[in-house]
Amino acid sequence: SRSITINAYDTLPALNIDIKDQLASLYPSQIYLGQKFVIYPANGTGGSGSVDVAIKIMDGDVDVTDTVVVDDTYVVPSSVSNSLKVVYVLTDYLGQTEEVSVPVSVVRSSSAIFSGVKLPEAVLANKDFKIPVPTATYYSEAGVKSELPVTVKINGAAYTGATYKPTAAGSFTL
């Protein structure tokens, strides 16, 4: 025979996420239409037993998670209003739930939004490094999306190669 003691309490610690105090610094308060931002994972705390954390993206009262989340990166579609929220939904072993959310305002940029531009801070002279293939997207005032051509320039001159090899130590502009 085996006995297990289970404690009964009048209240349990409140459900929360471990990054709640960091949400304001982790998420931008405003992004441009078409710009991407990372969705940060969180662990649940409080409650009873294990705490499951689900993340959803809300546009007003509409859950748009399935249409906008790609590989933990949220991509802003052209139909998003200014009421976007990242919502962490916590559920403990007893079925108690709590939501923690952070708002992100979405505005239209007057210029193109570039993506795919990841560059190293430094490279080695006489050694090839890969040139990124950037994309540029523009949204009109009516929300119409346009992909724009991008020209990569090195030191002001158009460059079409996939790699670049600086010939000497020093700096160059890409």
Side-chain angles (χ1 to χ4, degrees):
S1 151
R2 181 174 167 192
S3 296
I4 297 175
T5 302
I6 299 175
N7 297 316
Y9 298 96
D10 291 330
T11 61
L12 292 171
L15 288 170
N16 216 329
I17 55 173
D18 59 348
I19 62 170
K20 184 176 182 179
D21 294 338
Q22 302 164 0
L23 288 178
S25 62
L26 290 174
Y27 286 99
S29 60
Q30 176 179 299
I31 61 169
Y32 291 117
L33 193 60
Q35 189 177 10
K36 298 177 183 179
F37 67 88
V38 174
I39 296 174
Y40 292 92
N43 296 305
T45 62
S48 176
S50 65
V51 178
D52 292 326
V53 179
I55 301 172
K56 60 184 178 180
I57 308 301
M58 299 298 290
D59 183 1
D61 293 334
V62 179
D63 185 341
V64 294
T65 308
D66 291 341
T67 61
V68 297
V69 176
V70 180
D71 297 329
D72 294 332
T73 300
Y74 178 71
V75 180
V76 181
S78 61
S79 61
V80 168
S81 67
N82 287 338
S83 58
L84 188 70
K85 287 189 299 187
V86 179
V87 181
Y88 294 85
V89 181
L90 300 103
T91 307
D92 74 0
Y93 178 79
L94 297 175
Q96 299 180 103
T97 62
E98 184 67 41
E99 290 188 358
V100 177
S101 65
V102 59
V104 179
S105 175
V106 181
V107 297
R108 191 187 74 79
S109 174
S110 60
S111 58
I113 304 296
F114 287 87
S115 59
V117 185
K118 292 186 179 181
L119 296 169
E121 292 181 23
V123 295
L124 294 171
N126 297 309
K127 184 166 173 74
D128 285 338
F129 82 93
K130 185 177 179 179
I131 301 290
V133 181
T135 60
T137 306
Y138 177 76
Y139 290 89
S140 70
E141 288 189 32
V144 177
K145 179 180 177 180
S146 301
E147 298 296 330
L148 304 175
V150 176
T151 301
V152 174
K153 293 183 177 183
I154 297 180
N155 292 329
Y159 188 80
T160 58
T163 62
Y164 178 72
K165 184 189 298 184
T167 57
S171 62
F172 61 95
T173 303
L174 181 66

